[in-house]
Every structure is written in C-alpha cells, then in structure tokens.
Amino acid sequence: MDYVEENVPLAPYTTLGVGGQARFFAEVQSRAYLCVALRSATAKGVRVCVLGGGSNTLVPDEGVDGLVLRIKIPGMSFHDDGTGTGALVRAGAGISWNTLVRYATSRGLWGIENLSGIPGTVGAAPVQNIGAYGTELADTFVSADVITFPKMEHLRINATQAQFGYRESIFKKDSSMIITSVTLRLSRERIVRKTYSDLENARERGVMLDTSLDIARALQDIRSKKFTIRANEGTAGSFFKNPIISKERYDVLQKRFPNMPGFPIGTNIKISLAWILDTVLHMRGFRKGNIYLSDHNPLVLVVRQPSTEKEVGEFADDIALRTKTATGITIEREVRSCKLTTM
Ligand SMILES: Cc1cc2nc3c(=O)[nH]c(=O)nc-3n(C[C@H](O)[C@H](O)[C@H](O)COP(=O)(O)OP(=O)(O)OC[C@H]3O[C@@H](n4cnc5c(N)ncnc54)[C@H](O)[C@@H]3O)c2cc1C
C-alpha cells in the first residue's frame, strides 16, 4: 500500500488527545485511493477503522491493530433541486463540516445554520446524526455514497435507509460502511425555527440574526465560548447521550425530581443528563486527577494532558455508575471507540 505509514500515534488526530498508535495509517484523498487501500487491506487480512476529524473518537491505549484511514476526500458542489426554492449540496466526506456550513450559508441557503460550530467532517456527520439547537442532520439529509468493507459494494444510502434517530444511524450500527460523500437538500427560503435563549441573548446584545449566515456566525461564536478549554486540554463535546426513557418511567422519576426537564421523542421522553449531573449529582466541575466535567456544561468531559484512555474510561464509568445509582438510568457514551471492521 503506497502512502501507508506504520506505528503512527493517533492522539494528535483526535480532540481528546489520548490513546496509542495505529499499526497502519493512511490519509485518503480520493474515492479511488480508498478503493486501493481497502483492496490491499483485504488482500493482507488487515482490518480497517475510519477516522474523520477525531472529534468524537476515543483511541484505546493499546492502539489499533489494523489500518486507520483518515478520510480527507474533498469536493463540494451546489445544484438547483428543480423546485425553485431549494438546492442540493454534495460534499466530499473529508470536507470540514463548518466549511460546508459557511459555504451554504454564504449562498443564502437555510437548513444547517443551527449546526454551525460542530467540529468534524462531513463524512462523520450522518454517523451520529449530529444535532444542535433543535436541528439534526437528518432534517436535510438526502443521501450518502458509501463503499462497504470488505465487500467493496458502492451504495447510495437514502434518508429512509439511513435509519436516523437521536445520535443514531445505520452508519453507526454498521461500521462496514465508509462514507465518501453526502448530499443535503437546503432551502433558499428562510426556515423559521424555535428560538433558543443563547440566540435571544445574542440578539439582545445587538448581534444581527437576519440571515442564515448571521445565525451560523453567531452560533460559532457562542459555541467557541461554551467549549473553551486550555491549551493542554482536550474534549469531544458531550461525552454521553441524553437518556431516552419511557413516559411511565419519566412520570415515576418526576415524582422524585419534580423539576426534571423532559422532551418528548415519539412516545418516549428524552431527559437532560446535564440537568441530572448538575442538580441531582452536583457534579458540575467534578474532577479526578487530570479529567473533569466542564463548569459550563457538565455533559462535557475535559481531559488535561498527560492522561490515558484508561483514565478517561474509568472516569466515564464512574459517572455512569453514579447516575445509575441515583436515578436507575443507564447512560450511553456518545463518544465512539476506534472500532475495527470485522472481515
Ligand atoms: C467541542 C465539541 C463540540 C461538539 N458538539 C457537538 C454537537 O453540538 N452536536 C453533535 O452532534 N456532536 C457534537 N460534537 C461531536 C462531534 O463533533 C461530531 O460527532 C462530529 O460529527 C464528529 O466528526 P469527526 O469527523 O471528528 O468524527 P470522528 O471522531 O473522526 O469519527 C466519529 C465516528 O464516525 C466514524 N466516521 C468518521 N468518518 C467516517 C466516514 N467517512 N465514513 C464512515 N464513518 C466515519 C468514525 O469511525 C467514528 O466512529 C462535538 C465535539 C466537540 C469536540
């Protein structure tokens, strides 16, 4: 395999900044090179793991005994969608998500402005159906082109096949799918959304929020302040997902915690883990060694160097155990372990 490096430390390729080495590592600049690398991996019996910007990935201390492919596939194109009010936007999986948001909003397009400021790549965005400020990727998703490993099928996965849910998708369940590009449908007409206190506060400070570009810029600014970390620290944003529980279970919990916020999702209720960590467990700013929960948002785990993946894992397990003990709720990590495909 050309351009494949050996024994490459992965910590610098992730925002958490912990973990060991990749046995093999390659940056993938094109779909053609991806095919070459995957065929070569199959021939040598090497398993594969995909990395984008590393902003939602925890690398094991023992490293990854396979080929880590860092997806850098470029390209971005905009076309009318034929309705006169919309545009189809296609972007390579390696494009930075924020570059896409900035491009789209600069062209007056609406639909992803509330997702401004989320780190990472376009290719990873459908994996956990990124979401913020009442918007999810699923709202604009049309399709993703994927190559499966090791079967090497070239598929176009549409929105139904993508099986999106809260931080869920087929791409997350089936790690054989490597996304090479994503197509979104955006609108030329303003999409009016629920207002959020962060944006209302910005408006009161005189920040313009007339265009999608204004909103994208304002949110980028708001988020950069919310996720402030020091130079020798790392984070992956929210480390855990907000739990989704049945209405019956929520009603029981609400008797114990009358102010517990709940947001309906279908017939279930999504509850705010940040609220539980803050109000029930008093863990805002909780620290163990070099790892702590953010003062701004207790859902955000911050890692100060030097740290190990084992320490991050133990800290996270402790949070999960305390939550379970206090509320009976089992919480799930949002951050993903570097997972090798099966062959
Ligand atoms: C400060 C901060 C704030 C954040 N805020 C939010 C937020 O508000 N909302 C939100 O939803 N997320 C948020 N995140 C999480 C993260 O930004 C998103 O999950 C993002 O989509 C991850 O992109 P990435 O390229 O860095 O993915 P990576 O960490 O590189 O990968 C994440 C997962 O996707 C897989 N993957 C990556 N690329 C591909 C591909 N091309 N094909 C198939 N699988 C792939 C990887 O194997 C891995 O399992 C935040 C993270 C940080 C650090």
Side-chain angles (χ1 to χ4, degrees), residues 13-16 34 49-58 69-73 93-95 97 114-133 135 145-147 167 171-172 174-182 223 226-229 234-238 300 334-339:
Y13 291 104
T14 70
T15 56
L16 279 167
L34 177 61
C49 167
V50 172
L51 197 61
S55 65
N56 208 28
T57 296
L58 183 61
L69 294 171
R70 187 162 184 246
I71 306 296
K72 306 265 289 176
I73 299 172
I95 294 286
W97 173 256
N114 282 17
L115 302 178
S116 168
I118 299 180
T121 55
V122 165
V127 175
Q128 75 148 356
N129 183 21
I130 55 168
Y133 295 98
T135 307
D145 288 345
V146 308
I147 298 177
R167 302 293 180 272
F171 313 109
K172 195 167 184 179
D174 180 352
S175 56
S176 75
M177 290 189 186
I178 302 174
I179 297 173
T180 57
S181 69
V182 175
R223 293 176 62 99
K226 267 195 175 172
F227 290 103
T228 309
I229 50 169
T235 181
S238 302
V300 174
E334 183 174 309
V335 170
R336 311 255 294 148
S337 266
C338 227
K339 200 172 152 200

Side-chain angles (χ1 to χ4, degrees), residues 291-340:
I291 302 166
Y292 67 95
L293 296 180
S294 162
D295 282 329
H296 296 291
N297 178 354
L299 211 49
V300 174
L301 184 153
V302 183
V303 177
R304 178 171 293 180
Q305 296 305 338
S307 289
T308 62
E309 175 254 349
K310 184 166 178 277
E311 287 162 345
V312 174
E314 284 172 359
F315 184 91
D317 288 347
D318 183 23
I319 306 288
L321 182 62
R322 287 171 192 244
T323 306
K324 177 87 179 164
T325 308
T327 64
I329 294 171
T330 304
I331 55 172
E332 261 180 68
R333 292 184 188 185
E334 183 174 309
V335 170
R336 311 255 294 148
S337 266
C338 227
K339 200 172 152 200
L340 287 163

Side-chain angles (χ1 to χ4, degrees), residues 23-44:
R23 175 75 185 88
F24 303 105
F25 179 88
E27 297 211 316
V28 173
Q29 303 282 353
S30 70
R31 211 175 144 88
Y33 178 67
L34 177 61
C35 292
V36 171
L38 293 177
R39 282 205 193 91
S40 179
T42 310
K44 294 186 165 79

Side-chain angles (χ1 to χ4, degrees), residues 129-152:
N129 183 21
I130 55 168
Y133 295 98
T135 307
E136 289 181 335
L137 184 85
D139 301 339
T140 50
F141 180 90
V142 174
S143 63
D145 288 345
V146 308
I147 298 177
T148 64
F149 179 79
K151 285 191 181 163
M152 300 300 291

